mmCIF file of all heavy atoms in Angstrom:
data_model
loop_
_atom_site.group_PDB
_atom_site.id
_atom_site.type_symbol
_atom_site.label_atom_id
_atom_site.label_comp_id
_atom_site.label_asym_id
_atom_site.label_seq_id
_atom_site.Cartn_x
_atom_site.Cartn_y
_atom_site.Cartn_z
ATOM 1 N N LEU K 12 -20.842 16.292 -6.549
ATOM 2 C CA LEU K 12 -19.829 15.323 -6.143
ATOM 3 C C LEU K 12 -20.493 14.231 -5.321
ATOM 4 O O LEU K 12 -21.407 14.502 -4.537
ATOM 5 C CB LEU K 12 -18.747 15.998 -5.298
ATOM 6 C CG LEU K 12 -17.726 16.891 -5.994
ATOM 7 C CD1 LEU K 12 -16.697 17.374 -4.977
ATOM 8 C CD2 LEU K 12 -17.022 16.171 -7.129
ATOM 9 N N GLY K 20 -6.705 17.746 -5.814
ATOM 10 C CA GLY K 20 -5.922 18.689 -6.606
ATOM 11 C C GLY K 20 -4.792 18.006 -7.345
ATOM 12 O O GLY K 20 -4.745 16.772 -7.473
ATOM 13 N N LEU K 33 -6.262 14.829 -8.743
ATOM 14 C CA LEU K 33 -6.716 13.723 -7.905
ATOM 15 C C LEU K 33 -8.045 14.043 -7.233
ATOM 16 O O LEU K 33 -8.275 15.171 -6.785
ATOM 17 C CB LEU K 33 -5.673 13.401 -6.836
ATOM 18 C CG LEU K 33 -4.265 13.019 -7.329
ATOM 19 C CD1 LEU K 33 -3.340 12.794 -6.140
ATOM 20 C CD2 LEU K 33 -4.318 11.786 -8.202
ATOM 21 N N LEU K 61 -26.505 26.540 -6.577
ATOM 22 C CA LEU K 61 -27.509 26.865 -7.595
ATOM 23 C C LEU K 61 -28.350 25.652 -7.973
ATOM 24 O O LEU K 61 -28.987 25.645 -9.029
ATOM 25 C CB LEU K 61 -26.812 27.416 -8.851
ATOM 26 C CG LEU K 61 -25.961 28.678 -8.666
ATOM 27 C CD1 LEU K 61 -25.249 29.028 -9.961
ATOM 28 C CD2 LEU K 61 -26.823 29.844 -8.191
ATOM 29 N N ILE K 84 -17.032 25.243 -24.147
ATOM 30 C CA ILE K 84 -17.655 24.007 -23.707
ATOM 31 C C ILE K 84 -19.133 24.288 -23.467
ATOM 32 O O ILE K 84 -19.479 25.176 -22.678
ATOM 33 C CB ILE K 84 -17.006 23.464 -22.412
ATOM 34 C CG1 ILE K 84 -15.496 23.285 -22.591
ATOM 35 C CG2 ILE K 84 -17.664 22.154 -21.993
ATOM 36 C CD1 ILE K 84 -15.097 22.244 -23.585
ATOM 37 N N THR K 103 -19.017 11.841 -9.472
ATOM 38 C CA THR K 103 -20.235 12.645 -9.366
ATOM 39 C C THR K 103 -21.463 11.754 -9.504
ATOM 40 O O THR K 103 -21.368 10.592 -9.910
ATOM 41 C CB THR K 103 -20.296 13.723 -10.471
ATOM 42 O OG1 THR K 103 -20.455 13.078 -11.745
ATOM 43 C CG2 THR K 103 -19.041 14.575 -10.487
ATOM 44 N N PHE K 124 -9.183 -8.322 2.683
ATOM 45 C CA PHE K 124 -9.932 -8.579 3.923
ATOM 46 C C PHE K 124 -9.569 -7.554 5.008
ATOM 47 O O PHE K 124 -9.328 -7.909 6.163
ATOM 48 C CB PHE K 124 -9.692 -10.007 4.424
ATOM 49 C CG PHE K 124 -9.947 -11.062 3.399
ATOM 50 C CD1 PHE K 124 -8.899 -11.777 2.833
ATOM 51 C CD2 PHE K 124 -11.231 -11.324 2.965
ATOM 52 C CE1 PHE K 124 -9.131 -12.745 1.871
ATOM 53 C CE2 PHE K 124 -11.468 -12.290 1.995
ATOM 54 C CZ PHE K 124 -10.423 -13.002 1.444
ATOM 55 N N PHE K 145 9.634 13.549 14.513
ATOM 56 C CA PHE K 145 10.111 13.912 13.181
ATOM 57 C C PHE K 145 10.752 15.296 13.135
ATOM 58 O O PHE K 145 11.228 15.709 12.074
ATOM 59 C CB PHE K 145 8.954 13.839 12.169
ATOM 60 C CG PHE K 145 8.530 12.441 11.867
ATOM 61 C CD1 PHE K 145 7.497 11.844 12.581
ATOM 62 C CD2 PHE K 145 9.176 11.695 10.896
ATOM 63 C CE1 PHE K 145 7.107 10.539 12.307
ATOM 64 C CE2 PHE K 145 8.793 10.389 10.620
ATOM 65 C CZ PHE K 145 7.765 9.807 11.335
ATOM 66 N N ILE K 154 18.371 8.765 14.726
ATOM 67 C CA ILE K 154 18.974 7.896 13.707
ATOM 68 C C ILE K 154 20.377 7.483 14.127
ATOM 69 O O ILE K 154 20.792 6.327 13.950
ATOM 70 C CB ILE K 154 18.989 8.604 12.342
ATOM 71 C CG1 ILE K 154 17.559 8.801 11.830
ATOM 72 C CG2 ILE K 154 19.808 7.805 11.323
ATOM 73 C CD1 ILE K 154 17.458 9.603 10.556
ATOM 74 N N PHE K 186 6.701 -14.286 24.234
ATOM 75 C CA PHE K 186 7.171 -12.933 24.539
ATOM 76 C C PHE K 186 7.751 -12.267 23.292
ATOM 77 O O PHE K 186 7.452 -11.098 22.986
ATOM 78 C CB PHE K 186 8.221 -13.005 25.657
ATOM 79 C CG PHE K 186 8.794 -11.666 26.053
ATOM 80 C CD1 PHE K 186 8.035 -10.742 26.752
ATOM 81 C CD2 PHE K 186 10.104 -11.336 25.712
ATOM 82 C CE1 PHE K 186 8.565 -9.508 27.117
ATOM 83 C CE2 PHE K 186 10.641 -10.108 26.068
ATOM 84 C CZ PHE K 186 9.865 -9.199 26.772
ATOM 85 N N CYS K 195 5.277 -4.064 14.942
ATOM 86 C CA CYS K 195 4.491 -3.838 13.718
ATOM 87 C C CYS K 195 3.452 -2.741 13.930
ATOM 88 O O CYS K 195 3.232 -1.902 13.048
ATOM 89 C CB CYS K 195 3.808 -5.130 13.283
ATOM 90 S SG CYS K 195 4.940 -6.430 12.727
ATOM 91 N N ILE K 200 2.021 3.310 13.442
ATOM 92 C CA ILE K 200 1.907 4.619 14.102
ATOM 93 C C ILE K 200 2.940 5.576 13.517
ATOM 94 O O ILE K 200 2.697 6.784 13.402
ATOM 95 C CB ILE K 200 2.083 4.477 15.627
ATOM 96 C CG1 ILE K 200 0.921 3.675 16.211
ATOM 97 C CG2 ILE K 200 2.154 5.850 16.300
ATOM 98 C CD1 ILE K 200 1.058 3.376 17.695
ATOM 99 N N GLY K 201 4.099 5.039 13.097
ATOM 100 C CA GLY K 201 5.122 5.870 12.463
ATOM 101 C C GLY K 201 4.622 6.491 11.170
ATOM 102 O O GLY K 201 4.845 7.680 10.904
ATOM 103 N N TYR K 208 2.670 15.083 11.064
ATOM 104 C CA TYR K 208 3.755 16.057 11.094
ATOM 105 C C TYR K 208 3.814 16.846 9.788
ATOM 106 O O TYR K 208 4.129 18.038 9.781
ATOM 107 C CB TYR K 208 5.086 15.346 11.336
ATOM 108 C CG TYR K 208 6.280 16.279 11.354
ATOM 109 C CD1 TYR K 208 6.591 17.011 12.492
ATOM 110 C CD2 TYR K 208 7.081 16.428 10.228
ATOM 111 C CE1 TYR K 208 7.673 17.877 12.517
ATOM 112 C CE2 TYR K 208 8.167 17.298 10.240
ATOM 113 C CZ TYR K 208 8.454 18.016 11.389
ATOM 114 O OH TYR K 208 9.529 18.886 11.400
ATOM 115 N N ALA K 226 -1.326 -8.816 8.358
ATOM 116 C CA ALA K 226 -0.571 -7.566 8.208
ATOM 117 C C ALA K 226 -1.394 -6.415 8.768
ATOM 118 O O ALA K 226 -2.629 -6.445 8.746
ATOM 119 C CB ALA K 226 -0.236 -7.306 6.742
ATOM 120 N N LEU K 263 16.346 -1.819 27.323
ATOM 121 C CA LEU K 263 15.818 -2.845 28.227
ATOM 122 C C LEU K 263 16.811 -3.996 28.391
ATOM 123 O O LEU K 263 16.989 -4.520 29.502
ATOM 124 C CB LEU K 263 14.487 -3.366 27.691
ATOM 125 C CG LEU K 263 13.288 -2.433 27.832
ATOM 126 C CD1 LEU K 263 12.077 -3.021 27.124
ATOM 127 C CD2 LEU K 263 12.966 -2.188 29.306
ATOM 128 N N LEU K 272 15.002 -10.533 24.563
ATOM 129 C CA LEU K 272 15.036 -9.187 23.990
ATOM 130 C C LEU K 272 15.972 -9.133 22.787
ATOM 131 O O LEU K 272 15.716 -8.407 21.819
ATOM 132 C CB LEU K 272 15.465 -8.169 25.049
ATOM 133 C CG LEU K 272 14.447 -7.912 26.171
ATOM 134 C CD1 LEU K 272 15.083 -7.111 27.290
ATOM 135 C CD2 LEU K 272 13.229 -7.174 25.624
ATOM 136 N N ILE K 284 14.143 -5.110 7.090
ATOM 137 C CA ILE K 284 14.627 -5.586 5.784
ATOM 138 C C ILE K 284 13.453 -5.922 4.877
ATOM 139 O O ILE K 284 13.425 -5.553 3.697
ATOM 140 C CB ILE K 284 15.540 -6.808 5.977
ATOM 141 C CG1 ILE K 284 16.832 -6.397 6.700
ATOM 142 C CG2 ILE K 284 15.870 -7.459 4.632
ATOM 143 C CD1 ILE K 284 17.692 -7.565 7.132
ATOM 144 N N LEU K 287 11.716 -2.839 3.437
ATOM 145 C CA LEU K 287 12.478 -2.091 2.435
ATOM 146 C C LEU K 287 12.603 -2.830 1.108
ATOM 147 O O LEU K 287 13.131 -2.271 0.149
ATOM 148 C CB LEU K 287 13.873 -1.756 2.986
ATOM 149 C CG LEU K 287 13.883 -0.748 4.151
ATOM 150 C CD1 LEU K 287 15.296 -0.537 4.663
ATOM 151 C CD2 LEU K 287 13.262 0.582 3.741
ATOM 152 N N PRO K 289 11.565 -3.935 -2.444
ATOM 153 C CA PRO K 289 10.658 -3.306 -3.412
ATOM 154 C C PRO K 289 9.864 -4.289 -4.256
ATOM 155 O O PRO K 289 9.153 -3.878 -5.172
ATOM 156 C CB PRO K 289 11.636 -2.528 -4.300
ATOM 157 C CG PRO K 289 12.867 -3.375 -4.330
ATOM 158 C CD PRO K 289 12.948 -4.055 -2.970
ATOM 159 N N LEU K 316 6.830 -5.069 -20.331
ATOM 160 C CA LEU K 316 7.228 -6.394 -20.782
ATOM 161 C C LEU K 316 6.854 -6.624 -22.250
ATOM 162 O O LEU K 316 7.611 -7.245 -23.004
ATOM 163 C CB LEU K 316 6.588 -7.461 -19.899
ATOM 164 C CG LEU K 316 7.131 -7.565 -18.471
ATOM 165 C CD1 LEU K 316 6.341 -8.583 -17.682
ATOM 166 C CD2 LEU K 316 8.614 -7.901 -18.466
ATOM 167 N N TRP K 343 12.875 -1.120 -12.709
ATOM 168 C CA TRP K 343 12.185 -1.787 -11.594
ATOM 169 C C TRP K 343 11.495 -3.064 -12.080
ATOM 170 O O TRP K 343 11.643 -4.124 -11.474
ATOM 171 C CB TRP K 343 11.164 -0.840 -10.972
ATOM 172 C CG TRP K 343 10.366 -1.481 -9.870
ATOM 173 C CD1 TRP K 343 10.759 -1.668 -8.577
ATOM 174 C CD2 TRP K 343 9.051 -2.057 -9.979
ATOM 175 N NE1 TRP K 343 9.768 -2.325 -7.870
ATOM 176 C CE2 TRP K 343 8.720 -2.565 -8.711
ATOM 177 C CE3 TRP K 343 8.140 -2.173 -11.026
ATOM 178 C CZ2 TRP K 343 7.497 -3.187 -8.459
ATOM 179 C CZ3 TRP K 343 6.921 -2.792 -10.785
ATOM 180 C CH2 TRP K 343 6.608 -3.289 -9.509
ATOM 181 N N VAL K 347 12.470 -6.541 -10.694
ATOM 182 C CA VAL K 347 11.609 -7.114 -9.669
ATOM 183 C C VAL K 347 11.068 -8.485 -10.074
ATOM 184 O O VAL K 347 10.895 -9.358 -9.216
ATOM 185 C CB VAL K 347 10.441 -6.144 -9.339
ATOM 186 C CG1 VAL K 347 9.356 -6.185 -10.409
ATOM 187 C CG2 VAL K 347 9.836 -6.465 -7.980
ATOM 188 N N LYS K 361 13.089 -24.941 -0.375
ATOM 189 C CA LYS K 361 12.921 -25.302 1.026
ATOM 190 C C LYS K 361 11.614 -26.049 1.306
ATOM 191 O O LYS K 361 11.351 -26.401 2.456
ATOM 192 C CB LYS K 361 12.983 -24.038 1.898
ATOM 193 C CG LYS K 361 14.334 -23.346 1.888
ATOM 194 C CD LYS K 361 15.402 -24.180 2.579
ATOM 195 C CE LYS K 361 16.725 -23.439 2.656
ATOM 196 N NZ LYS K 361 17.771 -24.266 3.320
ATOM 197 N N GLY K 383 -0.217 -34.011 28.402
ATOM 198 C CA GLY K 383 -0.745 -33.042 29.360
ATOM 199 C C GLY K 383 0.062 -31.765 29.439
ATOM 200 O O GLY K 383 0.204 -31.196 30.540
ATOM 201 N N ALA K 384 0.606 -31.308 28.299
ATOM 202 C CA ALA K 384 1.386 -30.060 28.293
ATOM 203 C C ALA K 384 0.499 -28.885 28.684
ATOM 204 O O ALA K 384 -0.721 -28.896 28.490
ATOM 205 C CB ALA K 384 1.988 -29.819 26.910
ATOM 206 N N LEU K 390 0.104 -23.380 23.017
ATOM 207 C CA LEU K 390 -0.100 -22.157 22.227
ATOM 208 C C LEU K 390 1.154 -21.828 21.431
ATOM 209 O O LEU K 390 1.080 -21.508 20.229
ATOM 210 C CB LEU K 390 -0.471 -20.997 23.149
ATOM 211 C CG LEU K 390 -0.654 -19.627 22.472
ATOM 212 C CD1 LEU K 390 -1.754 -19.690 21.424
ATOM 213 C CD2 LEU K 390 -0.961 -18.555 23.514
ATOM 214 N N LEU K 417 0.550 -13.476 -15.901
ATOM 215 C CA LEU K 417 1.377 -13.532 -17.108
ATOM 216 C C LEU K 417 0.579 -14.016 -18.310
ATOM 217 O O LEU K 417 0.679 -13.464 -19.406
ATOM 218 C CB LEU K 417 2.583 -14.457 -16.876
ATOM 219 C CG LEU K 417 3.714 -13.891 -16.001
ATOM 220 C CD1 LEU K 417 4.695 -14.992 -15.649
ATOM 221 C CD2 LEU K 417 4.417 -12.742 -16.709
#
Side-chain angles (χ1 to χ4, degrees):
L12 286 184
L33 302 177
L61 301 175
I84 305 295
T103 67
F124 307 109
F145 289 93
I154 293 175
F186 179 71
C195 293
I200 294 175
Y208 179 81
L263 286 174
L272 291 169
I284 293 171
L287 292 177
L316 289 176
W343 177 80
V347 77
K361 295 292 184 181
L390 177 59
L417 285 169

